Amino acid sequence: MTADSTLLQMKYARIVALLAQKKGIDEEKALELFYNSDTYMLISKGVSDFHCLSDAYLAEEILLEQKK
């Protein structure tokens, strides 16, 4: 199943805001972190309905990716 592009863009913005808040960085750096993550790739390609997961969960996944 694929998500509506407008809804995905809104989800991306919420995830980026969460990343900025959790890491204490500005949203520009958070945006870079988001777009360079494997999680973003999975969401954007519609793999395993990742877009259905909560924003907080996806933000945590990206933070975990970064630690690896």
Side-chain angles (χ1 to χ4, degrees), residues 4-65:
D4 178 70
S5 64
T6 302
L7 294 177
L8 273 180
Q9 293 299 318
M10 292 168 56
K11 184 167 197 72
Y12 295 165
R14 292 190 305 268
I15 294 169
V16 169
L18 281 170
L19 287 170
Q21 178 186 18
K22 288 177 181 278
K23 287 203 50 98
I25 57 177
D26 63 40
E27 289 193 351
E28 187 175 333
K29 289 181 183 176
L31 188 63
E32 183 179 332
L33 178 65
F34 175 72
Y35 279 122
N36 289 314
S37 71
D38 292 334
T39 300
Y40 165 70
M41 183 203 59
L42 294 171
I43 297 169
S44 66
K45 291 188 177 189
V47 174
S48 299
D49 290 337
F50 255 57
H51 63 278
C52 294
L53 299 172
S54 75
D55 302 339
Y57 178 85
L58 293 169
E60 286 298 322
E61 277 295 308
I62 293 168
L63 293 175
L64 288 173
E65 272 182 50

